[in-house]
Amino acid sequence: MSGLYHPVKIGNVSLKGNLFLAPVAGYSDMAFRSVCVENGACFTYTEMVSAEALVRDNFKTEILMKRAENESAYSVQIFGGDSDIMAQATKIVTEKTHCEVIDINCGCPVPKIVKTGAGSALTRDPDRLYKIAKAVIDAAEGTPVTVKIRSGWDKPSINWKDAAQAAIEAGVNAITIHPRTRAQGYEGHSDWSIMKALVEYIDGNVPVFGSGDLFKPEDAKKMLEETGVDAVMFARGAMGNPFIFKDATSLLINGSYEPVSAKVRIETGFSELERLVKETSEQHACLEMRKRFSAYSKGIQNGAALRAQIVHASTVQDYHNIFNSVIIE
């Protein structure tokens, strides 16, 4: 069983293990990535960063790319539909962050992203995917480049193989697949058989990472066993539960794990809040942590009553008052 947890290489970057935090829009900021690393995430990705905004020197976009203090290795994910802009953005990323890996988003299903020719529009258009990947690789000057793709546009248009082939020909160092179509968004089930087929198709040429429907440690074990992917990426499964990395590591190595107490869950939420205040402002952090504390409080006693108060919290003291009002063990 221990063989399921193993080191991974992405180009010239060596990682100690194969449990990754996926790029999650509006969630995987420095604070969240930091608590995930603390709890065993082997590699992390920023939320997706607009190449257009980077080239226009958007300050807010720069904040998204910053490395957390405890991140020894991380990837900046960028998106865009124009190869020249993506190349310019790549140079900015490498200069300003010195990140270990650059990831190209070829999977986001959100309409405003897709209509610009970015996100899952690239899975649909392998020629453009190739052109963009090649431009980013050339601009990255040695920094490993990876892509994240979907299974296809919709059920009649399953073309992951063409997208993967274009990425390989461009020279990417790894491919992540989320085996849902663009039409599915995040609904229904991801088709892990496609993931397995991609692993067989790539045949060890580059590592393949799996994403989709990983909500508990057992899901990671199952994905690794059934599909043969080199690493798994937790997304929604890590929200309010950064401990999933520690638990999955223990399951893969020892065959079992001990879930953390409700007290530790809430303490970790406060640690994330403190980091977010430091990175941004108390007002922003407290508004942002409403959804995150709601996630941390799932499954604990009095959780529903706590969440009814959490959605109104506006200051750090508000959160302390809410959680001091109940006994959490």
Side-chain angles (χ1 to χ4, degrees):
M1 187 174 295
S2 59
L4 292 175
Y5 182 82
H6 55 75
V8 175
K9 282 200 81 171
I10 305 174
N12 56 12
V13 175
S14 298
L15 305 170
K16 65 177 182 179
N18 57 343
L19 303 174
F20 299 173
L21 173 66
V24 183
Y27 216 101
S28 45
D29 51 29
M30 276 193 293
F32 181 60
R33 299 197 317 267
S34 183
V35 295
C36 287
V37 170
E38 229 162 53
N39 282 281
C42 309
F43 194 56
T44 52
Y45 292 71
T46 67
E47 57 184 288
M48 59 182 189
V49 174
S50 164
E52 288 271 3
L54 269 183
V55 171
R56 289 200 307 267
D57 205 20
N58 183 304
F59 176 68
K60 284 184 183 175
T61 304
E62 274 194 42
I63 293 172
L64 298 179
M65 303 193 301
K66 282 188 175 177
R67 183 192 298 263
E69 286 180 6
N70 61 352
E71 282 180 311
S72 58
Y74 81 125
S75 175
V76 173
Q77 187 188 69
I78 58 175
F79 73 92
D82 180 280
S83 57
D84 291 337
I85 298 288
M86 287 287 276
Q88 290 176 56
T90 299
K91 289 187 181 298
I92 294 167
V93 171
T94 55
E95 285 165 13
K96 297 203 170 180
T97 72
H98 304 293
C99 62
E100 282 64 33
V101 175
I102 293 174
D103 187 56
I104 305 169
N105 184 311
C106 306
C108 179
V110 175
K112 70 176 182 181
I113 305 292
V114 172
K115 74 179 182 185
T116 66
S120 54
L122 292 176
T123 296
R124 187 188 200 182
D125 185 350
D127 290 342
R128 182 184 273 192
L129 191 160
Y130 170 85
K131 194 175 175 186
I132 283 178
K134 187 78 172 63
V136 170
I137 290 164
D138 289 346
E141 296 183 339
T143 298
V145 174
T146 60
V147 299
K148 185 174 184 182
I149 63 173
R150 284 203 166 223
S151 56
W153 186 256
D154 53 23
K155 206 168 180 180
S157 310
I158 303 295
N159 72 326
W160 57 266
K161 193 177 284 188
D162 296 331
Q165 185 60 38
I168 292 289
E169 287 176 7
V172 301
N173 298 101
I175 298 175
T176 301
I177 186 160
H178 182 138
R180 282 184 170 90
T181 63
R182 185 265 167 182
Q184 274 182 284
Y186 298 98
E187 302 299 318
H189 292 291
S190 60
D191 185 351
W192 289 8
S193 69
I194 287 175
M195 212 178 278
K196 183 180 180 183
L198 175 61
V199 170
E200 291 168 355
Y201 179 70
I202 296 298
D203 194 26
N205 198 326
V206 296
V208 175
F209 309 145
S211 175
D213 295 345
L214 293 169
F215 296 108
K216 53 188 189 295
E218 290 82 1
D219 296 334
K221 179 174 179 284
K222 189 179 178 193
M223 183 182 281
L224 288 164
E225 287 175 336
E226 289 185 2
T227 70
V229 291
D230 297 280
V232 298
M233 269 195 204
F234 291 102
R236 288 176 290 171
M239 293 179 183
N241 187 25
F243 323 103
I244 199 165
F245 296 100
K246 179 170 64 68
D247 293 345
T249 303
S250 181
L251 178 65
L252 295 178
I253 294 173
N254 305 314
S256 64
Y257 63 95
E258 189 67 42
V260 300
S261 66
K263 189 167 183 283
V264 169
R265 289 173 75 91
I266 300 309
E267 283 173 352
T268 303
F270 274 104
S271 173
E272 190 175 339
L273 171 61
E274 284 167 21
R275 293 171 207 214
L276 203 48
V277 169
K278 194 174 164 187
E279 288 164 25
T280 57
S281 66
E282 182 173 7
Q283 181 186 25
H284 170 87
C286 290
L287 288 174
E288 181 60 36
M289 285 302 295
R290 287 177 180 177
K291 67 183 178 190
R292 303 192 191 187
F293 263 120
S294 292
Y296 276 114
S297 67
K298 277 181 184 166
I300 71 173
Q301 197 173 5
N302 305 312
L306 284 169
R307 286 190 288 279
Q309 298 178 69
I310 287 168
V311 295
H312 299 293
S314 298
T315 65
V316 171
Q317 191 57 52
D318 285 346
Y319 284 108
H320 282 292
N321 293 343
I322 290 165
F323 287 101
N324 286 342
S325 68
V326 293
I327 296 169
I328 297 173
E329 296 177 355

